[in-house]
Amino acid sequence: EAYQETMVQPDNDEEEDDAEKFRVPTDGDIFIAYSTTEGYRSYRHKAVGSIFIYNCASIFEKNYPSTHLEEMMIDVKAVTALDPRWQRTKDKKEIAQMPCSWSTLTKRFYFIAATL
């Protein structure tokens, strides 16, 4: 029902007057990742800790130079939910963990290696 306001955002990290600027909704360019869907448990593995964080780190480390964030998160979700290493049995039921994400990104987001 409400109107969504916009804000001016530069097209790069620099605050230069000649930087190309564009207007995005105030809640644009946000990405939130959850280790599991609402109402369900997130699991911790004895050897690697959080299954979700472990899979994020593994997949991001291998793919960050050439793959954008949302595409990597699809892989994180698939490995976390479907890989037999992470599935368990509890009270005679097969259980697993399903990560999810929420995104209003307006561009592909790539990580860049830091130069020291």
Side-chain angles (χ1 to χ4, degrees), residues 13-113:
D13 292 339
E14 300 171 18
E15 295 287 330
E16 298 176 14
D17 289 334
D18 62 345
E20 185 178 346
K21 296 179 181 174
F22 56 98
R23 298 192 76 79
V24 296
T26 53
D27 62 353
D29 291 334
I30 296 172
F31 183 88
I32 301 171
Y34 298 95
S35 64
T36 190
T37 51
E38 187 175 349
Y40 292 96
R41 293 181 182 200
S42 182
Y43 300 107
R44 187 174 190 284
H45 190 275
K46 289 179 182 178
V48 300
S50 164
I51 295 167
F52 175 70
I53 298 298
Y54 175 82
N55 288 327
C56 282
S58 296
I59 289 169
F60 288 11
E61 184 178 34
K62 287 182 220 164
N63 300 299
Y64 80 90
S66 61
T67 309
H68 64 89
L69 176 61
E70 289 188 280
E71 193 172 333
M72 288 189 292
M73 284 306 300
I74 290 170
D75 294 340
V76 169
K77 293 173 197 178
V79 169
T80 305
L82 305 175
D83 191 316
R85 292 178 299 167
W86 312 124
Q87 296 177 354
R88 300 286 182 261
T89 302
K90 180 80 172 171
D91 300 327
K92 298 182 181 179
K93 293 181 181 178
E94 295 292 322
I95 59 172
Q97 179 175 328
M98 184 68 242
C100 63
S101 57
W102 183 86
S103 173
T104 60
L105 295 178
T106 59
K107 294 182 178 182
R108 287 172 179 78
F109 183 92
Y110 293 86
F111 291 101
I112 299 171

Side-chain angles (χ1 to χ4, degrees), residues 1-13:
E1 295 177 16
Y3 293 104
Q4 197 166 39
E5 294 186 36
T6 62
M7 63 182 187
V8 175
Q9 181 176 344
D11 196 25
N12 59 32
D13 292 339

